[in-house]
Amino acid sequence: MIHPQKLFVVGISFKKADIALRSRFAFAPDECSSTYSSMAADCFQHFFILSTCNRTEIYGFAPCEYLLLSLLRHHAKASFDEMNKCVYVKESNQAVRHFLSVASGLDSQIPGDYEIISQIKSAFQLAKAHGRTNGYLERLFNFSLEASKEVKASTFFSNGTVSVTYAAALKISKQKNICKVVVLGAGSTGQTVLGYLKKAVPQVKITLVSRNTEKSKRIASMFNIQAAPLEYLDVELCDADALVVATHSNHCLVHREHIFRSRIKLILDLSVPKNVAGDVCMMDQVKYYDVDSISSLTDSTVRKRLAEIPKVKTIITKFEMKFSRWSARQLYFSVSSQASVDGNLLSSKQLAGLFDLWHRSFQYDSSSKPHPAILTDSILSALKSAYPSVQLTKSTDNDAIP
């Protein structure tokens, strides 16, 4: 039995959940891969997981939202009460608009945070590598990239670089007597931090520490800094003044014994979940900042960005309409291409001429997949207005819409 499906997004974000709660819902890249590989439900095949420091969201096609909610709840080991308090659900065109808003930086903790688009790219490509995307999601992804580019090119919404990684580097640059900084983590976040630090504090010694020795050496060479393996973290911290943690571990990597004999006075933990042990945060010598508190360090740039929100919303609406029209056109031609009069299929030119007539007359839900019978009937009705004897040569193919 084929179940009509719709696009849903379920998620949790900084708007209703603090970092401690968000940490429980967060997916590490290997957990995403494991989920993609193990999910076997026939009615839930096409989806992708977006997990950042600000949010964890699952986008996908399903007969109902409960399949996505169940996956999220099982991963976080959350109670129904916790889910009801913090998890949001959007479907159909609302899910499309939400994704475009996220990609444009409109839904970020720091408005206009342009790093989100690189995170979306990584998340989508991982799902695609596991065969979990389809033509519809691919097209939505591409539209989100276009919307993000237009926001960046035609507004000041992303001007005056402000992001969690930038705010961390800026915080370090404002400290006195910082001679050495250790960056823990050689992933994309760690590399972004290194780039900002090299510009903000070019005179400061920087050491990159990572469990992947070869990768850290390669990256350290790119930035002209030192590299060290994770087992030497305590040694590197002995003469360091600040530590930036940019890892994606499911457990704490920085403990009291790492800090006790060091001269560390500032720790900036960009990880979700937190990768710094709780007793470290309570040490008298240390000023500790997690993702949420770092986000609050931004300056007047944010206020300037807020003034650009009406322009950003206009761009999002434009791309939402473009996507809806594209999706409707895909549906229309998947059905109308089977239309014939006296045994002769209608030409593409004949069908194209009737598309606008149908599109204007029918309130189309762009995320319905496969298309319900009511949509097929409405298309056939539009065709019959011009060709009364038109018939469909075969039943509609539920997989015709990518």
mmCIF file of all heavy atoms in Angstrom, residues 115-149:
data_model
loop_
_atom_site.group_PDB
_atom_site.id
_atom_site.type_symbol
_atom_site.label_atom_id
_atom_site.label_comp_id
_atom_site.label_asym_id
_atom_site.label_seq_id
_atom_site.Cartn_x
_atom_site.Cartn_y
_atom_site.Cartn_z
ATOM 1 N N GLU A 115 27.684 31.141 8.545
ATOM 2 C CA GLU A 115 28.273 29.808 8.658
ATOM 3 C C GLU A 115 27.235 28.709 8.485
ATOM 4 O O GLU A 115 27.573 27.575 8.157
ATOM 5 C CB GLU A 115 28.967 29.661 10.014
ATOM 6 C CG GLU A 115 30.233 30.485 10.129
ATOM 7 C CD GLU A 115 30.869 30.372 11.499
ATOM 8 O OE1 GLU A 115 30.520 29.448 12.246
ATOM 9 O OE2 GLU A 115 31.719 31.211 11.815
ATOM 10 N N ILE A 116 25.960 29.034 8.688
ATOM 11 C CA ILE A 116 24.914 28.015 8.613
ATOM 12 C C ILE A 116 24.859 27.378 7.232
ATOM 13 O O ILE A 116 24.562 26.186 7.105
ATOM 14 C CB ILE A 116 23.528 28.614 8.987
ATOM 15 C CG1 ILE A 116 22.451 27.526 9.017
ATOM 16 C CG2 ILE A 116 23.155 29.738 8.040
ATOM 17 C CD1 ILE A 116 22.666 26.444 10.028
ATOM 18 N N ILE A 117 25.168 28.130 6.186
ATOM 19 C CA ILE A 117 25.032 27.578 4.846
ATOM 20 C C ILE A 117 26.076 26.488 4.604
ATOM 21 O O ILE A 117 25.796 25.483 3.939
ATOM 22 C CB ILE A 117 25.110 28.675 3.764
ATOM 23 C CG1 ILE A 117 24.457 28.179 2.476
ATOM 24 C CG2 ILE A 117 26.515 29.164 3.538
ATOM 25 C CD1 ILE A 117 22.980 27.898 2.580
ATOM 26 N N SER A 118 27.267 26.636 5.155
ATOM 27 C CA SER A 118 28.279 25.581 5.008
ATOM 28 C C SER A 118 27.879 24.348 5.826
ATOM 29 O O SER A 118 28.148 23.211 5.423
ATOM 30 C CB SER A 118 29.656 26.085 5.440
ATOM 31 O OG SER A 118 29.677 26.420 6.810
ATOM 32 N N GLN A 119 27.225 24.574 6.950
ATOM 33 C CA GLN A 119 26.749 23.452 7.761
ATOM 34 C C GLN A 119 25.634 22.698 7.040
ATOM 35 O O GLN A 119 25.561 21.466 7.094
ATOM 36 C CB GLN A 119 26.262 23.973 9.123
ATOM 37 C CG GLN A 119 27.377 24.547 9.970
ATOM 38 C CD GLN A 119 26.867 25.330 11.172
ATOM 39 O OE1 GLN A 119 25.796 25.936 11.129
ATOM 40 N NE2 GLN A 119 27.625 25.323 12.257
ATOM 41 N N ILE A 120 24.754 23.439 6.357
ATOM 42 C CA ILE A 120 23.697 22.808 5.573
ATOM 43 C C ILE A 120 24.295 21.993 4.435
ATOM 44 O O ILE A 120 23.863 20.873 4.152
ATOM 45 C CB ILE A 120 22.717 23.876 5.028
ATOM 46 C CG1 ILE A 120 21.847 24.419 6.167
ATOM 47 C CG2 ILE A 120 21.836 23.310 3.916
ATOM 48 C CD1 ILE A 120 20.934 25.556 5.760
ATOM 49 N N LYS A 121 25.298 22.539 3.766
ATOM 50 C CA LYS A 121 25.946 21.809 2.676
ATOM 51 C C LYS A 121 26.518 20.482 3.170
ATOM 52 O O LYS A 121 26.331 19.436 2.542
ATOM 53 C CB LYS A 121 27.067 22.666 2.070
ATOM 54 C CG LYS A 121 26.600 23.842 1.244
ATOM 55 C CD LYS A 121 27.797 24.629 0.724
ATOM 56 C CE LYS A 121 27.363 25.843 -0.092
ATOM 57 N NZ LYS A 121 28.534 26.642 -0.551
ATOM 58 N N SER A 122 27.217 20.519 4.289
ATOM 59 C CA SER A 122 27.824 19.301 4.828
ATOM 60 C C SER A 122 26.759 18.284 5.210
ATOM 61 O O SER A 122 26.894 17.087 4.934
ATOM 62 C CB SER A 122 28.683 19.645 6.052
ATOM 63 O OG SER A 122 29.755 20.494 5.698
ATOM 64 N N ALA A 123 25.692 18.777 5.849
ATOM 65 C CA ALA A 123 24.614 17.872 6.289
ATOM 66 C C ALA A 123 23.932 17.217 5.099
ATOM 67 O O ALA A 123 23.661 16.008 5.102
ATOM 68 C CB ALA A 123 23.595 18.651 7.122
ATOM 69 N N PHE A 124 23.662 18.008 4.076
ATOM 70 C CA PHE A 124 22.954 17.476 2.915
ATOM 71 C C PHE A 124 23.835 16.489 2.147
ATOM 72 O O PHE A 124 23.361 15.439 1.711
ATOM 73 C CB PHE A 124 22.498 18.612 2.001
ATOM 74 C CG PHE A 124 21.589 18.154 0.899
ATOM 75 C CD1 PHE A 124 20.225 18.007 1.118
ATOM 76 C CD2 PHE A 124 22.087 17.845 -0.357
ATOM 77 C CE1 PHE A 124 19.380 17.570 0.116
ATOM 78 C CE2 PHE A 124 21.253 17.407 -1.367
ATOM 79 C CZ PHE A 124 19.895 17.273 -1.129
ATOM 80 N N GLN A 125 25.099 16.820 1.972
ATOM 81 C CA GLN A 125 25.992 15.937 1.224
ATOM 82 C C GLN A 125 26.181 14.604 1.937
ATOM 83 O O GLN A 125 26.311 13.557 1.295
ATOM 84 C CB GLN A 125 27.346 16.622 1.006
ATOM 85 C CG GLN A 125 27.294 17.831 0.085
ATOM 86 C CD GLN A 125 26.704 17.517 -1.280
ATOM 87 O OE1 GLN A 125 26.895 16.429 -1.821
ATOM 88 N NE2 GLN A 125 25.970 18.471 -1.844
ATOM 89 N N LEU A 126 26.181 14.612 3.264
ATOM 90 C CA LEU A 126 26.296 13.366 4.008
ATOM 91 C C LEU A 126 25.074 12.484 3.775
ATOM 92 O O LEU A 126 25.200 11.272 3.548
ATOM 93 C CB LEU A 126 26.452 13.656 5.501
ATOM 94 C CG LEU A 126 26.629 12.428 6.414
ATOM 95 C CD1 LEU A 126 27.864 11.625 6.023
ATOM 96 C CD2 LEU A 126 26.727 12.864 7.879
ATOM 97 N N ALA A 127 23.884 13.096 3.816
ATOM 98 C CA ALA A 127 22.657 12.339 3.549
ATOM 99 C C ALA A 127 22.646 11.810 2.119
ATOM 100 O O ALA A 127 22.245 10.668 1.862
ATOM 101 C CB ALA A 127 21.434 13.215 3.802
ATOM 102 N N LYS A 128 23.103 12.629 1.196
ATOM 103 C CA LYS A 128 23.131 12.231 -0.219
ATOM 104 C C LYS A 128 24.094 11.066 -0.431
ATOM 105 O O LYS A 128 23.804 10.137 -1.206
ATOM 106 C CB LYS A 128 23.533 13.417 -1.082
ATOM 107 C CG LYS A 128 23.477 13.146 -2.578
ATOM 108 C CD LYS A 128 23.778 14.412 -3.372
ATOM 109 C CE LYS A 128 23.690 14.143 -4.870
ATOM 110 N NZ LYS A 128 23.963 15.375 -5.669
ATOM 111 N N ALA A 129 25.225 11.096 0.265
ATOM 112 C CA ALA A 129 26.205 10.014 0.138
ATOM 113 C C ALA A 129 25.637 8.677 0.605
ATOM 114 O O ALA A 129 26.071 7.620 0.154
ATOM 115 C CB ALA A 129 27.463 10.357 0.934
ATOM 116 N N HIS A 130 24.644 8.725 1.479
ATOM 117 C CA HIS A 130 23.992 7.510 1.981
ATOM 118 C C HIS A 130 22.699 7.205 1.224
ATOM 119 O O HIS A 130 21.927 6.333 1.642
ATOM 120 C CB HIS A 130 23.697 7.637 3.482
ATOM 121 C CG HIS A 130 24.912 7.500 4.349
ATOM 122 N ND1 HIS A 130 25.784 8.540 4.575
ATOM 123 C CD2 HIS A 130 25.408 6.429 5.041
ATOM 124 C CE1 HIS A 130 26.753 8.127 5.380
ATOM 125 N NE2 HIS A 130 26.557 6.857 5.664
ATOM 126 N N GLY A 131 22.458 7.920 0.127
ATOM 127 C CA GLY A 131 21.282 7.651 -0.694
ATOM 128 C C GLY A 131 19.964 8.050 -0.061
ATOM 129 O O GLY A 131 18.921 7.477 -0.397
ATOM 130 N N ARG A 132 19.989 9.041 0.831
ATOM 131 C CA ARG A 132 18.775 9.420 1.547
ATOM 132 C C ARG A 132 18.076 10.653 0.981
ATOM 133 O O ARG A 132 17.013 11.036 1.460
ATOM 134 C CB ARG A 132 19.104 9.667 3.022
ATOM 135 C CG ARG A 132 19.404 8.386 3.789
ATOM 136 C CD ARG A 132 18.214 7.455 3.763
ATOM 137 N NE ARG A 132 18.428 6.249 4.559
ATOM 138 C CZ ARG A 132 17.500 5.344 4.773
ATOM 139 N NH1 ARG A 132 16.301 5.496 4.241
ATOM 140 N NH2 ARG A 132 17.748 4.272 5.499
ATOM 141 N N THR A 133 18.634 11.292 -0.018
ATOM 142 C CA THR A 133 17.983 12.450 -0.630
ATOM 143 C C THR A 133 17.258 12.017 -1.903
ATOM 144 O O THR A 133 17.429 10.898 -2.375
ATOM 145 C CB THR A 133 19.004 13.549 -0.948
ATOM 146 O OG1 THR A 133 19.974 13.041 -1.891
ATOM 147 C CG2 THR A 133 19.726 13.983 0.316
ATOM 148 N N ASN A 134 16.446 12.902 -2.431
ATOM 149 C CA ASN A 134 15.789 12.653 -3.720
ATOM 150 C C ASN A 134 15.771 13.948 -4.520
ATOM 151 O O ASN A 134 16.319 14.975 -4.086
ATOM 152 C CB ASN A 134 14.375 12.090 -3.521
ATOM 153 C CG ASN A 134 13.473 13.027 -2.723
ATOM 154 O OD1 ASN A 134 13.802 14.189 -2.494
ATOM 155 N ND2 ASN A 134 12.338 12.528 -2.298
ATOM 156 N N GLY A 135 15.162 13.917 -5.688
ATOM 157 C CA GLY A 135 15.159 15.087 -6.556
ATOM 158 C C GLY A 135 14.495 16.297 -5.920
ATOM 159 O O GLY A 135 14.929 17.437 -6.099
ATOM 160 N N TYR A 136 13.435 16.047 -5.171
ATOM 161 C CA TYR A 136 12.716 17.141 -4.524
ATOM 162 C C TYR A 136 13.603 17.816 -3.474
ATOM 163 O O TYR A 136 13.743 19.040 -3.444
ATOM 164 C CB TYR A 136 11.441 16.600 -3.877
ATOM 165 C CG TYR A 136 10.585 17.654 -3.202
ATOM 166 C CD1 TYR A 136 9.489 18.207 -3.849
ATOM 167 C CD2 TYR A 136 10.890 18.092 -1.911
ATOM 168 C CE1 TYR A 136 8.712 19.175 -3.227
ATOM 169 C CE2 TYR A 136 10.120 19.059 -1.289
ATOM 170 C CZ TYR A 136 9.036 19.592 -1.944
ATOM 171 O OH TYR A 136 8.279 20.554 -1.336
ATOM 172 N N LEU A 137 14.211 17.026 -2.598
ATOM 173 C CA LEU A 137 15.075 17.597 -1.570
ATOM 174 C C LEU A 137 16.306 18.264 -2.181
ATOM 175 O O LEU A 137 16.780 19.291 -1.695
ATOM 176 C CB LEU A 137 15.505 16.499 -0.588
ATOM 177 C CG LEU A 137 14.405 15.937 0.314
ATOM 178 C CD1 LEU A 137 14.941 14.776 1.149
ATOM 179 C CD2 LEU A 137 13.818 17.015 1.223
ATOM 180 N N GLU A 138 16.813 17.677 -3.255
ATOM 181 C CA GLU A 138 17.964 18.269 -3.942
ATOM 182 C C GLU A 138 17.615 19.647 -4.483
ATOM 183 O O GLU A 138 18.391 20.597 -4.363
ATOM 184 C CB GLU A 138 18.423 17.355 -5.075
ATOM 185 C CG GLU A 138 19.629 17.855 -5.837
ATOM 186 C CD GLU A 138 20.908 17.107 -5.471
ATOM 187 O OE1 GLU A 138 20.848 15.938 -5.106
ATOM 188 O OE2 GLU A 138 21.972 17.732 -5.558
ATOM 189 N N ARG A 139 16.423 19.745 -5.077
ATOM 190 C CA ARG A 139 15.997 21.027 -5.625
ATOM 191 C C ARG A 139 15.786 22.051 -4.506
ATOM 192 O O ARG A 139 16.161 23.223 -4.635
ATOM 193 C CB ARG A 139 14.694 20.840 -6.419
ATOM 194 C CG ARG A 139 14.307 22.057 -7.246
ATOM 195 C CD ARG A 139 15.257 22.256 -8.417
ATOM 196 N NE ARG A 139 14.801 23.290 -9.312
ATOM 197 C CZ ARG A 139 15.349 23.581 -10.479
ATOM 198 N NH1 ARG A 139 16.400 22.869 -10.883
ATOM 199 N NH2 ARG A 139 14.888 24.548 -11.236
ATOM 200 N N LEU A 140 15.185 21.622 -3.405
ATOM 201 C CA LEU A 140 14.986 22.511 -2.265
ATOM 202 C C LEU A 140 16.332 22.985 -1.719
ATOM 203 O O LEU A 140 16.496 24.173 -1.388
ATOM 204 C CB LEU A 140 14.196 21.786 -1.172
ATOM 205 C CG LEU A 140 13.937 22.569 0.118
ATOM 206 C CD1 LEU A 140 13.175 23.859 -0.160
ATOM 207 C CD2 LEU A 140 13.172 21.702 1.120
ATOM 208 N N PHE A 141 17.275 22.094 -1.648
ATOM 209 C CA PHE A 141 18.629 22.437 -1.200
ATOM 210 C C PHE A 141 19.242 23.489 -2.120
ATOM 211 O O PHE A 141 19.811 24.488 -1.660
ATOM 212 C CB PHE A 141 19.480 21.167 -1.175
ATOM 213 C CG PHE A 141 20.955 21.394 -1.008
ATOM 214 C CD1 PHE A 141 21.482 21.854 0.189
ATOM 215 C CD2 PHE A 141 21.827 21.140 -2.064
ATOM 216 C CE1 PHE A 141 22.848 22.049 0.340
ATOM 217 C CE2 PHE A 141 23.188 21.335 -1.923
ATOM 218 C CZ PHE A 141 23.700 21.790 -0.723
ATOM 219 N N ASN A 142 19.127 23.291 -3.427
ATOM 220 C CA ASN A 142 19.692 24.248 -4.379
ATOM 221 C C ASN A 142 19.012 25.611 -4.288
ATOM 222 O O ASN A 142 19.669 26.656 -4.392
ATOM 223 C CB ASN A 142 19.586 23.700 -5.805
ATOM 224 C CG ASN A 142 20.530 22.541 -6.052
ATOM 225 O OD1 ASN A 142 21.583 22.448 -5.424
ATOM 226 N ND2 ASN A 142 20.162 21.635 -6.953
ATOM 227 N N PHE A 143 17.696 25.621 -4.090
ATOM 228 C CA PHE A 143 16.982 26.886 -3.922
ATOM 229 C C PHE A 143 17.459 27.602 -2.660
ATOM 230 O O PHE A 143 17.542 28.833 -2.627
ATOM 231 C CB PHE A 143 15.472 26.649 -3.862
ATOM 232 C CG PHE A 143 14.781 26.767 -5.195
ATOM 233 C CD1 PHE A 143 14.694 25.671 -6.040
ATOM 234 C CD2 PHE A 143 14.225 27.960 -5.615
ATOM 235 C CE1 PHE A 143 14.065 25.762 -7.267
ATOM 236 C CE2 PHE A 143 13.595 28.065 -6.840
ATOM 237 C CZ PHE A 143 13.508 26.959 -7.677
ATOM 238 N N SER A 144 17.749 26.834 -1.614
ATOM 239 C CA SER A 144 18.224 27.462 -0.376
ATOM 240 C C SER A 144 19.585 28.123 -0.583
ATOM 241 O O SER A 144 19.857 29.188 -0.030
ATOM 242 C CB SER A 144 18.302 26.420 0.746
ATOM 243 O OG SER A 144 19.417 25.563 0.594
ATOM 244 N N LEU A 145 20.452 27.496 -1.388
ATOM 245 C CA LEU A 145 21.755 28.095 -1.696
ATOM 246 C C LEU A 145 21.580 29.395 -2.469
ATOM 247 O O LEU A 145 22.252 30.398 -2.194
ATOM 248 C CB LEU A 145 22.615 27.121 -2.510
ATOM 249 C CG LEU A 145 22.973 25.779 -1.882
ATOM 250 C CD1 LEU A 145 23.941 25.022 -2.784
ATOM 251 C CD2 LEU A 145 23.584 25.964 -0.500
ATOM 252 N N GLU A 146 20.648 29.390 -3.423
ATOM 253 C CA GLU A 146 20.388 30.594 -4.211
ATOM 254 C C GLU A 146 19.834 31.713 -3.337
ATOM 255 O O GLU A 146 20.229 32.878 -3.469
ATOM 256 C CB GLU A 146 19.410 30.280 -5.343
ATOM 257 C CG GLU A 146 19.974 29.374 -6.435
ATOM 258 C CD GLU A 146 18.957 29.113 -7.533
ATOM 259 O OE1 GLU A 146 18.089 29.972 -7.750
ATOM 260 O OE2 GLU A 146 19.022 28.030 -8.147
ATOM 261 N N ALA A 147 18.914 31.363 -2.445
ATOM 262 C CA ALA A 147 18.337 32.371 -1.557
ATOM 263 C C ALA A 147 19.408 32.962 -0.650
ATOM 264 O O ALA A 147 19.469 34.184 -0.439
ATOM 265 C CB ALA A 147 17.216 31.752 -0.721
ATOM 266 N N SER A 148 20.266 32.114 -0.120
ATOM 267 C CA SER A 148 21.347 32.574 0.751
ATOM 268 C C SER A 148 22.288 33.520 0.009
ATOM 269 O O SER A 148 22.707 34.549 0.546
ATOM 270 C CB SER A 148 22.120 31.366 1.286
ATOM 271 O OG SER A 148 23.228 31.773 2.049
ATOM 272 N N LYS A 149 22.620 33.179 -1.238
ATOM 273 C CA LYS A 149 23.503 34.032 -2.045
ATOM 274 C C LYS A 149 22.878 35.393 -2.296
ATOM 275 O O LYS A 149 23.550 36.426 -2.223
ATOM 276 C CB LYS A 149 23.825 33.339 -3.372
ATOM 277 C CG LYS A 149 24.771 32.162 -3.252
ATOM 278 C CD LYS A 149 25.024 31.524 -4.607
ATOM 279 C CE LYS A 149 25.941 30.311 -4.489
ATOM 280 N NZ LYS A 149 26.155 29.650 -5.811
#
